[in-house]
Amino acid sequence: MPGTNLTREEAQQRAKLLTVDSYEIDLDLSGAQEGGTYRSVTTVRFDVAENGADSFIDLVAPAVHEVTLNGDALDADEVFKDSRIALSGLLEGRNVLRVVADCAYTNTGEGLHRFVDPVDQQAYLYTQFEVPDARRVFASFEQPDLKATFQFTVKAPEGWTVISNSPTPEPGTTSGPSSRRRVSRRTSRRSSSARTTPCTASTRRTASPSRSASTAVPRSPSTSTRTRSSR
């Protein structure tokens, strides 16, 4: 497991200090057919019990481009080390953190797994966040007692099927040389990061794609894999 793992003492200290309110996560999967990395943008709102306290958020990523804490830009090269982003001088009460990173597709069943079907040569994706692999997809306080609400927005190529385990609006389409579909879903129930199931995508559109409260189902000609609902 990469980087520094959370100890029991660190988890206890962070649970006493932080109350996490919400995550907004924007994943750009428009290059999933080619693989490599994808852009992950996370905005997390959380409350802090002690003014001036220090803490950290977890992230496994090949590159971090931006870290903004309460409107102040931090030096990503300085604060991102060992799969952690250091957060210093936190404010008592509400804090807002935004992280822009490039995360990697995996083929190990961890984080955002990418599979290329040998029959149709198309890429299929699914998520597995137990534990602690949500940090491979978005910046998170990766421990089960720091629960929050989550909103995921997924950008996928035109023609992909994007299915969520929560009600979603009709997907929009971006303009430009490469059309993309944008789908959002929000959870009203508070959950740990490991228990979330964001919108995922597969490269073959079905005749009647479901956009209701079904779980994400990446499909290939020979397999059908169902991800776990968030709870």
Side-chain angles (χ1 to χ4, degrees):
M1 197 170 290
T4 302
N5 292 323
L6 187 69
T7 67
R8 177 181 297 181
E9 291 74 18
E10 287 174 330
Q12 291 172 339
Q13 292 170 1
R14 197 160 62 171
K16 290 180 180 179
L17 181 66
L18 305 181
T19 302
V20 187
D21 177 46
S22 65
Y23 292 86
E24 296 177 10
I25 301 125
D26 194 317
L27 304 177
D28 187 349
L29 308 182
S30 55
Q33 183 61 35
E34 293 75 26
T37 62
Y38 55 92
R39 182 57 55 93
S40 171
V41 180
T42 304
T43 301
V44 54
R45 293 172 174 82
F46 59 101
D47 293 328
V48 176
E50 178 185 340
N51 192 53
D54 298 338
S55 190
F56 61 91
I57 197 167
D58 305 286
L59 178 66
V60 177
V64 174
H65 300 288
E66 299 176 25
V67 180
T68 305
L69 178 62
N70 298 323
D72 295 328
L74 307 183
D75 186 337
D77 292 334
E78 180 178 328
V79 299
F80 178 55
K81 292 181 176 65
D82 298 322
S83 303
R84 296 178 173 185
I85 296 174
L87 306 175
S88 301
L90 294 168
L91 304 176
E92 183 176 2
R94 180 54 51 96
N95 291 253
V96 179
L97 174 69
R98 184 175 185 268
V99 178
V100 179
D102 287 338
C103 294
Y105 298 102
T106 73
N107 60 2
T108 59
E110 303 163 302
L112 183 54
H113 178 93
R114 177 180 174 272
F115 167 75
V116 177
D117 191 290
V119 176
D120 62 13
Q121 297 301 311
Q122 297 299 305
Y124 297 84
L125 309 177
Y126 71 84
T127 56
Q128 169 56 269
F129 290 166
E130 297 261 6
V131 168
D133 288 326
R135 62 180 180 159
R136 296 177 181 272
V137 178
F138 58 93
S140 62
F141 295 108
E142 188 80 271
Q143 62 187 80
D145 54 349
L146 290 181
K147 295 179 171 61
T149 61
F150 292 80
Q151 175 177 308
F152 289 91
T153 300
V154 174
K155 296 178 184 176
E158 181 65 23
W160 279 46
T161 300
V162 181
I163 307 173
S164 170
N165 67 342
S166 293
T168 64
E170 288 292 314
T173 301
T174 62
S175 60
S178 178
S179 295
R180 297 180 297 179
R181 306 172 77 225
R182 185 180 181 95
V183 179
S184 298
R185 53 110 26 180
R186 180 188 295 273
T187 63
S188 57
R189 183 185 303 177
R190 295 176 64 81
S191 172
S192 65
S193 56
R195 306 297 283 182
T196 60
T197 305
C199 301
T200 59
S202 62
T203 58
R204 183 76 51 91
R205 178 182 289 180
T206 60
S208 300
S210 169
R211 299 190 184 96
S212 61
S214 59
T215 50
V217 187
R219 302 187 69 87
S220 72
S222 58
T223 62
S224 175
T225 304
R226 183 175 294 273
T227 60
R228 182 181 51 255
S229 300
S230 61
R231 59 180 183 269

